[in-house]
Amino acid sequence: MARQGIMISLFVIVLIVSSSSAAEILADEPTYNVLDFGAVGDGNTNDTQAFVNAWSVICLNSTVPSTLYIPTSKTFLLDRIVFQGPCNNVIHVKVDGNLKRTNEIWKENFNSWLLFIQISGLRIYGSGELDGQGTNWWSCKEQNQCSEDAPDSLQMLSCTDAQIWGLRSINSTMMHISVAKSERVDIAGITIVTPDNSPNTDGIHVQESRHVSIRDSIIGTGDDCVSLSEGAEDISISNVTCGPGHGISIGSLGKNGSRATASNIYVSNCTLTQTTNGVRIKTWQGASGFARNISFVNITMNDVRYPIIIDQYYCPHSVCDAQASAVEVSDVKYIGVTGSSSAEVAVALNCSQSVPCSGIVMDTVNLWPANEGEELRSHCIGANGSARNQVTPAVPCLTQ
Ligand SMILES: *[C@@H]1O[C@H](CO)[C@@H](O)[C@H](O)[C@H]1NC(C)=O
Ligand SMILES: *[C@@H]1O[C@H](CO)[C@@H](O)[C@H](O)[C@H]1NC(C)=O
Ligand SMILES: *[C@@H]1O[C@H](CO)[C@@H](O)[C@H](O)[C@H]1NC(C)=O
Ligand SMILES: *[C@@H]1O[C@H](CO)[C@@H](O)[C@H](O)[C@H]1NC(C)=O
Ligand SMILES: *[C@@H]1O[C@H](CO)[C@@H](O)[C@H](O)[C@H]1NC(C)=O
Ligand SMILES: *[C@@H]1O[C@H](CO)[C@@H](O)[C@H](O)[C@H]1NC(C)=O
Ligand SMILES: *[C@@H]1O[C@H](CO)[C@@H](O)[C@H](O)[C@H]1NC(C)=O
Ligand SMILES: *[C@@H]1O[C@H](CO)[C@@H](O)[C@H](O)[C@H]1NC(C)=O
Ligand SMILES: *[C@@H]1O[C@H](CO)[C@@H](O)[C@H](O)[C@H]1NC(C)=O
Ligand SMILES: *[C@@H]1O[C@H](CO)[C@@H](O)[C@H](O)[C@H]1NC(C)=O
């Protein structure tokens, strides 16, 4: 309990002083430099074993909060690494150098390149870059020679009280950052750069996790900017700039008839530029569970194809039969959603007839066509709720 109290007050101080001075605050900690464990950092030497050795020492031997330091102006070539916890004390991983994945298509079905698992109080931060070297893997997938699954660059699994701050991530083979089965995670100041045609390269993905904030980040990628999947609860996304990519998604929920829930989600102050979707909730048919208490506040759309979507018929690959059950969508608010849409149907509430969407609130939604001379419209089935102040294009199924 005492440690948690210290953690929280440190966190508050860092927020007030701004995260750039985090380095000074932590400077007094014992520091374990990967170079002292044999890492070379010339971009060609396989430094995996040196990192594994450094981790096992810092994780098992630290008696006080300690820093694992990855120095600047170097590039470390790394194969898959599992940073296994629990650790003896709080670990801060300061990534100022660059980490590059060995450019191979793995035969084994690993979910991640850099996996941090079962760690409490972990902070990964710095000005370094993660390079997933995904190009070959993407083309392998596109030629159907590789399965859909490729490793995520940075995965946090079963962690609590964690932070990921300031890193840059490029060309991940699949998702850039994924958080699963974790609680109290703060992700901030991240920059993600990936081509818009790279498959499944979600920027930040969260599932089966609670109390997660994602803020002050810039994400350009080939799939969802941020995706929140089953078990996402109490998630805040603010000041995130998206594009290119598929926008901010909740879902897809309920694949293959499963039960899925997502709730208490607050998305604010985000800007989407030339993304295929804006803010989207997508669920599969034949599933159960709920997506509720979701707010989108102060969202700017620049030339976004489908700014507002609820799609309870999500089915990207094959033909899906109509089914009676669905993930129930309720209490979804769109407040201050403004900007341009490049497709005609700017607002699509495509809800299940058997399990309708209820409590949809739109307040000050103002969308206009990105291309002059066009006109926008909405499409709405199986949804109810209310429209307040200006809502353009009008959404007839919501009562004024
Ligand atoms: C890199 O080193 C690790 C640890 O020794 C080893 O498991 C892995 O196979 C090596 N990878 C390559 C591509 O040589
Ligand atoms: C870490 O602790 C183990 C067991 O206590 C010990 O054998 C080892 O020498 C320590 N390593 C370092 C680098 O301190
Ligand atoms: C990232 O991938 C793109 C597309 O394959 C490639 O053009 C670019 O050079 C890659 N970036 C780096 C730093 O390798
Ligand atoms: C929003 O995020 C950007 C980084 O993407 C940052 O420079 C800016 O200061 C943030 N704005 C606020 C109000 O925190
Ligand atoms: C879908 O669920 C069924 C039973 O619920 C299971 O047998 C099947 O393996 C699942 N398919 C996939 C792709 O998960
Ligand atoms: C809805 O979610 C917000 C967080 O976004 C939370 O503060 C609020 O208590 C939730 N409301 C209900 C009724 O659960
Ligand atoms: C969003 O930006 C406004 C200023 O425009 C600020 O007052 C508010 O705190 C921001 N919201 C969040 C959640 O950061
Ligand atoms: C929305 O933006 C307005 C104007 O910038 C700001 O005053 C307000 O605080 C913002 N609201 C939220 C909830 O961020
Ligand atoms: C919503 O349904 C309409 C009519 O079936 C369809 O034209 C449109 O493409 C759907 N939109 C989405 C985002 O699924
Ligand atoms: C909206 O739909 C829900 C679920 O079908 C229903 O319980 C509720 O009464 C409806 N509300 C209005 C105002 O029609």
Side-chain angles (χ1 to χ4, degrees), residues 24-44:
E24 293 152 43
I25 291 171
L26 301 177
D28 296 340
E29 286 182 6
T31 296
Y32 297 69
N33 189 327
V34 291
L35 296 178
D36 298 333
F37 291 82
V40 176
D42 61 3
N44 294 310

Side-chain angles (χ1 to χ4, degrees), residues 238 266-269 297-299 335-336:
S238 72
Y266 194 87
V267 182
S268 65
N269 294 352
V297 183
N298 281 358
I299 312 291
I335 304 171

Side-chain angles (χ1 to χ4, degrees), residues 69-81:
Y69 184 54
I70 296 154
T72 186
S73 308
K74 294 199 177 293
T75 298
F76 299 90
L77 188 67
L78 301 176
D79 215 300
R80 174 177 187 258
I81 301 187

Side-chain angles (χ1 to χ4, degrees), residues 36-295:
D36 298 333
F37 291 82
V40 176
D42 61 3
N44 294 310
T45 309
N46 178 359
D47 284 324
T48 308
Q49 194 58 49
F51 275 61
V52 168
N53 292 349
W55 178 259
S56 66
V57 169
I58 193 171
C59 181
L60 296 175
N61 289 35
S62 295
T63 52
V64 293
S66 302
T67 294
L68 176 67
Y69 184 54
I70 296 154
T72 186
S73 308
K74 294 199 177 293
T75 298
F76 299 90
L77 188 67
L78 301 176
D79 215 300
R80 174 177 187 258
I81 301 187
V82 179
F83 297 91
Q84 176 76 53
C87 296
N88 205 30
N89 215 293
V90 166
I91 306 297
H92 299 122
V93 182
K94 187 149 202 312
V95 185
D96 284 343
N98 300 327
L99 309 181
K100 201 162 154 183
R101 194 184 67 85
T102 52
N103 193 359
E104 289 180 347
I105 294 174
W106 301 338
K107 305 226 163 30
E108 302 87 341
N109 192 14
F110 295 133
N111 291 325
S112 49
W113 168 35
L114 304 171
L115 172 64
F116 291 84
I117 176 168
Q118 289 169 357
I119 307 166
S120 179
L122 173 68
R123 175 178 307 156
I124 307 171
Y125 71 117
S127 55
E129 177 180 272
L130 312 184
D131 181 356
Q133 297 216 80
T135 310
N136 291 347
W137 211 314
W138 304 331
S139 28
C140 179
K141 276 195 195 185
E142 266 146 22
Q143 292 156 14
N144 291 321
Q145 316 244 297
C146 291
S147 85
E148 274 240 307
D149 292 324
D152 300 338
S153 275
L154 177 66
Q155 190 175 26
M156 207 172 245
L157 181 61
S158 303
C159 290
T160 54
D161 301 293
Q163 296 104 35
I164 307 175
W165 290 345
L167 302 179
R168 188 181 149 88
S169 178
I170 69 167
N171 293 353
S172 59
T173 51
M174 197 143 153
M175 294 167 179
H176 288 261
I177 295 176
S178 75
V179 173
K181 296 183 163 59
S182 293
E183 292 196 12
R184 296 180 300 280
V185 180
D186 184 46
I187 302 175
I190 305 296
T191 305
I192 288 173
V193 183
T194 329
D196 61 358
N197 59 356
S198 54
N200 313 114
T201 53
D202 295 32
I204 300 173
H205 175 80
V206 177
Q207 67 179 58
E208 297 165 271
S209 295
R210 299 192 296 169
H211 317 307
V212 178
S213 62
I214 299 167
R215 54 191 179 89
D216 307 335
S217 295
I218 300 171
I219 300 175
T221 192
D223 205 297
D224 293 336
C225 174
V226 177
S227 54
L228 307 180
S229 188
E230 70 273 5
E233 188 190 332
D234 186 25
I235 314 289
S236 133
I237 302 173
S238 72
N239 188 26
V240 174
T241 300
C242 302
H246 295 179
I248 296 174
S249 286
I250 295 164
S252 52
L253 295 170
K255 192 172 185 177
N256 197 23
S258 61
R259 177 181 157 82
T261 64
S263 61
N264 301 5
I265 293 163
Y266 194 87
V267 182
S268 65
N269 294 352
C270 292
T271 300
L272 298 101
T273 301
Q274 292 182 335
T275 51
T276 51
N277 311 291
V279 292
R280 174 168 61 156
I281 298 173
K282 48 181 175 174
T283 71
W284 297 77
Q285 287 191 78
S288 64
F290 55 81
R292 68 182 173 220
N293 187 18
I294 298 168
S295 302

